[in-house]
Amino acid sequence: MSVSVPADGHYAVVNANVPASVLGEPASGALKTVDITIADGAIASIGPAGSATLPQKIDMRGDIVLPAFVDLHTHLDKGHIWARKQNPDGTWMGALKAVLTDREANWAASDVERRMDFSLRCAFAHGTAAIRTHLDMAPPQHEITWDVFSAMRERWAGRIELQGAGLMGPDTILDGEKLRGVATSTKAAGGILGGSTAVHPDNPLIMRKLVEIAGELGLDIDLHTDESPDPAANALECLADAVIESGFNGSVTAGHCCSLAVQDSETAKRVIDKVAQAGIAVVSLPMCNMYLQDRDNSDGVRTPRWRGVTLLNELKAAGVKVAIASDNTRDPFYAYGDLDGFEVFREGARILHFDHPQAEAFAWARVVSADPAAIAGFGYTGELAAGAPADLVLFKGRSWTELMSRPQADRTVIRAGQAIDTTLPDYRELDDLMGQA
């Protein structure tokens, strides 16, 4: 849609439909029509429709306005390598091996920097204000990537708030010297301690070692746990046990947690209860998990039997803080995606079934904005509230079904009260990195 935003930054977005919680009502899917007054890059007030007094107005005619997005789990260092390194069979292990090969051959600082910047330009154009990215830390990559990430965080300050989590595999975590090296570089870069494990005989030790060094260095934790179709995967439960037993009081986030959905109900309930007790937040990656999980080509072409995602509804019902996020972008783990928070929300509703009853569905809009912002502790809160930055996304759709039925490619993105250029970067910019120049 074409919206003309007054250049002086003093105007009102009127007759806008927003979640009722914006007006202090209980979180639900109900929509309320309001006027949002904007001045000096911030939201000056939110009141009932007809309350705005500024002469310059943008009339939404009942269309929906949401806050800018927060993407809690991405991989900016892997992004957009698909053209030079595809996944040979679409499996998780195929992706892991393909990325390892590409990383060893190509991930010089200049390569990582250009792909990161391209990804961030896509996210910004779609309306994202904050991103946490996991960064491969297999030595010696940690000596390259943290420097690139730190420079990117400074370059994008004021547009996208960035956090980085150092990602290690089980072998690195179990090697005390390597673990300390990665953890120390993570601390120096102002990062978060990350890792990945699913089915592993040493998961209890892995989690104890991670929690111990995180506590020693004052680091928060964000792990890939149980990204597997194997019900024997126990990384999430071992993480909860380690947090509870140690009394660790930092922020802890677990991503994926796919195995929870294929475990028996007794096991799943036990694990969910422990996760809630430990205060661990869970982030689901619906598009990537559906793409990778239950893909088995050993006997030829086969249709998957499950969606690959975790028990997000049950986790939320148990009081666990939850979010959904993009995950990978055009790399061997996920051949598609564009760091579009609305695409994540729209597809998440279909995949995770949080869209019914629809009277409650818009309460879930927070899983791509305010909820992940709170989990990560971003300065950007993802809230529509008086005094908050005027970081808004204006859509064409008056109701839940109208909003979610189209990709909203013509959305208007407002940052600090001004409409931004939403033109996406051309893939041709990366052709020379992909050997296509």
Side-chain angles (χ1 to χ4, degrees), residues 166-187:
L167 176 59
M168 301 172 284
D171 292 345
T172 301
I173 297 168
L174 290 168
D175 185 316
E177 184 177 351
K178 289 182 178 178
L179 172 61
R180 182 164 294 277
V182 172
T184 301
S185 63
T186 299
K187 175 72 172 180

Side-chain angles (χ1 to χ4, degrees), residues 45-126:
S45 65
I46 301 178
S51 63
T53 59
L54 287 178
Q56 299 189 97
K57 295 180 174 67
I58 298 172
D59 189 353
M60 294 298 295
R61 299 188 302 161
D63 284 332
I64 290 169
V65 174
L66 295 176
F69 306 116
V70 176
D71 211 339
L72 186 58
H73 184 124
T74 68
H75 290 267
L76 298 180
D77 58 347
K78 293 183 177 71
H80 300 285
I81 65 173
W82 181 267
R84 73 186 182 204
K85 199 62 183 177
Q86 299 182 13
N87 187 328
D89 58 7
T91 65
W92 186 89
M93 186 56 68
L96 186 71
K97 292 178 179 178
V99 167
L100 172 63
T101 301
D102 191 75
R103 184 179 70 223
E104 292 179 346
N106 296 306
W107 289 22
S110 58
D111 176 82
V112 175
E113 177 184 5
R114 284 182 56 194
R115 291 186 291 101
M116 273 191 184
D117 190 70
F118 187 95
S119 295
L120 289 168
R121 286 155 58 200
C122 295
F124 184 69
H126 287 306

Side-chain angles (χ1 to χ4, degrees), residues 200-321:
H200 198 290
D202 290 325
N203 272 340
L205 177 60
I206 288 169
M207 293 308 176
R208 287 198 302 271
K209 288 172 72 71
L210 276 168
V211 169
E212 179 181 345
I213 199 162
E216 177 188 336
L217 297 181
L219 293 168
D220 290 335
I221 296 172
D222 190 340
L223 305 179
H224 292 57
T225 58
D226 299 339
E227 190 178 2
S228 166
D230 191 338
N234 66 346
L236 180 61
E237 184 169 17
C238 290
L239 173 61
D241 287 338
V243 170
I244 294 168
E245 292 166 8
S246 68
F248 180 76
N249 59 9
S251 172
V252 183
T253 303
H256 297 289
C257 310
C258 305
S259 299
L260 197 61
V262 291
Q263 292 170 339
D264 62 79
S265 57
E266 181 179 345
T267 300
K269 184 180 186 307
R270 182 185 73 242
V271 175
I272 289 172
D273 287 346
K274 285 185 178 182
V275 169
Q277 181 185 350
I280 297 170
V282 172
V283 54
S284 175
L285 300 313
M287 297 188 300
C288 186
N289 286 155
M290 188 171 69
Y291 174 80
L292 277 179
Q293 296 300 311
D294 203 27
R295 187 189 290 264
D296 183 352
N297 301 323
S298 58
D299 296 323
V301 175
R302 172 184 174 275
T303 301
R305 305 298 195 264
W306 71 302
R307 298 182 181 209
V309 293
T310 193
L311 302 183
L312 202 69
N313 292 283
E314 292 84 346
L315 286 158
K316 184 179 175 72
V320 176
K321 295 178 181 178

Side-chain angles (χ1 to χ4, degrees), residues 69-74 128 283-288 323-328 334 337-352 354 367-368 404 411:
F69 306 116
V70 176
D71 211 339
L72 186 58
H73 184 124
T74 68
T128 293
V283 54
S284 175
L285 300 313
M287 297 188 300
C288 186
I324 61 176
S326 292
D327 206 8
N328 298 71
Y334 186 57
D338 205 34
L339 295 181
D340 179 357
F342 180 71
E343 181 191 20
V344 174
F345 180 49
R346 183 172 178 257
E347 296 307 310
R350 293 155 165 74
I351 298 166
L352 289 157
F354 57 63
V367 294
V368 289
M404 302 292 271
R411 74 195 74 168

